[in-house]
Amino acid sequence: MNTPPVCHWSVRQIVPPQTHMKLLNKQNDVRTVSLTLNMNLTASERLTSDSWRDHIHLSSSLLTDCPPLGLETLKIDDFQLHASSMRHYGLGPHRGRLNIQGGLYEDDLYDGGWCAGRNDPLQWFEVDARRLMKFTGVVTQGRSSLWSSDWVSSYKVLLSNDSHSWVTLKNGSRDLIFSANREKEIPVLNLFPKPMVARYIRINPRSWYSSGSICMRVEIMGCPMPDPNNYYRRRNEVTTTDNLDFRHHSYKEMRQLMKVVNEMCPNITRIYNIGKSYNGQKLYAIEISDNPGEHELGEPEFRYTAGSHGNEVLGRELLLLLMQFMCQEYLSGNTRIRRLVDETRIHLLPSINPDGYEKASEGSELSGWSLGRWSQDGLDIHHNFPDLNSVLWEAEAQKWVPRKFHNHHVPIPDWYRSTNATVAVETRALVSWMEKIPFVLGGNLQGGELVVTFPFDRTRSVTALREATPTADDHVFRWLAFSYASTHRLMTHASRRVCHTDDFAKEDGTINGASWHTAAGSMNDFSYLHTNCFELSMYVGCDKFPHETELPEEWENNRESLLVFMEQVHRGIKGVVRDVQGKGIANAIIAVDGINHDIRTASDGDYWRLLNPGEYRVTVRAEGFSVSSKVCAVGYDIGASSCDFVLGRSNLSRIREIMQKFNKQPISMRQRLRQRRLLDT
């Protein structure tokens, strides 16, 4: 539509040229959005009524770094969002949150933004902060939709203390109009000439995409005003008593923090790297154990990874907080942490995709939903593993399992290991790491949702977009997922608002990955099918890149879950498979009756098999040894039950050993020679 005949001010126009913030879009081109202040306007030019001046005050200080109010993080409740009209409920004001994702179909109950019921300049979107705030700016996006293109290209901002009397931000005597979006996904930040103090803020669209409608996703920037009487304190507000480094860390700062933790706890930590990123940045991990650098017989190996999608930053920071916390608590004598460290070899890899993080870190509210997700060479690292599901399922269809094809440790196809395969260098480093260390349990931290997913992540049916596809260990995976979700502060909360379109709280905060959306070559499926490790994905927050002021609360949300999930590595059975001389047997197959998925012993002959409480008949096989079976019981308390095996040599292997020792031919061959001699005579 045509723009109203009033003075227009883009962000670029209201600020001096010397200060800029780079905003990268999904195609990695660079636009420059200016963010500084125009101090030429007087207060009298900005305020137009004495009554307004009594209620709304301009700060005399320069703009401070105020955080988002919390539309994206859901700190702002649905009832605090209002609008002049809406097209239908799925496009109501409660959906007008920055980075919210729409459903697959139009007119969905969970659609991708607020859309006005009419396209005219009288429409508005309103946020009630429920307290006096110093508003400093607005971030906008268009509607998230696969089928429609809708966005607002300019708007006014109005402020109020009572929601009845409104004053428009002015440029002198004329209304100030901000330039907004030119497409629907890239967030655009507009800062006010000066911070404005009020309770209510309205965005009044003035122009919009000519082939679309008035639709917006919004975040408001602002700082709460002083509250000496604690009158406005949020209900259920969470604070932390942990003395940790609650801020976002660049690659260099992350490396330095890990070094500080290592120096604080040199006896239980070790820093190493598993490889390099596409841009040559080392993929650092920290080991936490009572004997770092060594695999101890009978001690399980656990891993947490984060940042496979570089823009999902919360997991990265949670692991940095976790390593600080465990070091501090170990030094202070926390018995729970000491037991976990003494009995487990823990590996934390906070940033799988540091190249992607650098793109996303241009600005937490400006990076959008996708920027930085992929590796530098454009690959989704989490779904860049070989698709072993189809290999196993084809073998099952041909009835090759278990005689011709194992139901576990599925080999990687030769093409995948070739140098010209489309495989990220980060993925190759992860595969090598996973093959080298006998991990038992792992969790990869992701962002943008509140749910724990477990294998399989790919549907058996090629045509199905989502379909429950359980593993042979489905009951174990469901327990592992629930152990994290149930101890998270929000995941299973029945009254919590959905992040985007799926209400996972109805499923106890967990879901089979293929039931959510099918994806081949996931890290979780690969880990289960190629190694002994049971891997799950924890989506730890609706906001992929929360403001650092949110980190203390996010730490409290996830701290107990992170610890409880690690403790699950001690659930099930464990033991050592030895020969009669007491030497450990490597690569022995551990099979549990009724579960069509086996595991293998590590190089020292030790093994760990995750199982739920109950009694199980366990059978051990190893090449050259006789088969052994016994019943092993798993209790309800944390602590794996010991179930050792001693295997004797099989008769055939003994014969072969004797014959090899005395350099004699097989009996069958000697008989043939005798027969030939008799015939010759």
Side-chain angles (χ1 to χ4, degrees), residues 8 101 116 154 168 410 540 549 591 605 632:
H8 278 255
Q101 299 299 292
S154 68
T168 306
V410 178
V540 291
T549 56
C632 304

Side-chain angles (χ1 to χ4, degrees), residues 345-361:
R345 192 180 181 205
I346 301 164
H347 304 258
L348 307 180
L349 176 57
S351 187
I352 293 174
N353 184 9
D355 300 345
Y357 173 82
E358 288 191 348
K359 295 178 184 178
S361 65

Side-chain angles (χ1 to χ4, degrees), residues 96-113:
R97 300 171 181 271
L98 190 73
N99 284 323
I100 202 166
Q101 299 299 292
L104 292 176
Y105 309 103
E106 295 294 303
D107 300 326
D108 202 308
L109 183 63
Y110 300 106
D111 225 317

Side-chain angles (χ1 to χ4, degrees), residues 280-305:
Q281 300 187 93
K282 292 182 179 180
L283 308 180
Y284 285 107
I286 192 167
E287 176 191 340
I288 304 177
S289 173
D290 58 343
N291 286 299
E294 297 180 19
H295 171 72
E296 296 183 71
L297 187 71
E299 187 169 282
E301 308 257 1
F302 176 92
R303 69 169 179 253
Y304 269 134
T305 60

Side-chain angles (χ1 to χ4, degrees), residues 415-428:
W415 67 263
Y416 185 88
R417 295 192 185 273
S418 65
T419 55
N420 60 350
T422 308
V423 181
V425 293
E426 296 89 347
T427 312
R428 293 189 188 276

Side-chain angles (χ1 to χ4, degrees), residues 328-372:
Q328 291 181 9
E329 294 300 304
Y330 189 91
L331 293 177
S332 66
N334 184 317
T335 55
R336 180 187 187 186
I337 300 301
R338 279 187 170 269
R339 181 173 61 251
L340 193 57
V341 172
D342 292 343
E343 297 177 358
T344 321
R345 192 180 181 205
I346 301 164
H347 304 258
L348 307 180
L349 176 57
S351 187
I352 293 174
N353 184 9
D355 300 345
Y357 173 82
E358 288 191 348
K359 295 178 184 178
S361 65
E362 293 290 335
S364 61
E365 305 309 317
L366 299 179
S367 55
W369 188 250
S370 306
L371 182 65

Side-chain angles (χ1 to χ4, degrees), residues 543-559:
D543 189 348
K544 292 182 177 182
F545 200 144
H547 193 273
E548 64 181 27
T549 56
E550 302 290 335
L551 293 179
E553 182 169 345
E554 293 293 357
W555 167 246
E556 289 297 319
N557 289 342
N558 288 275
R559 180 184 60 190

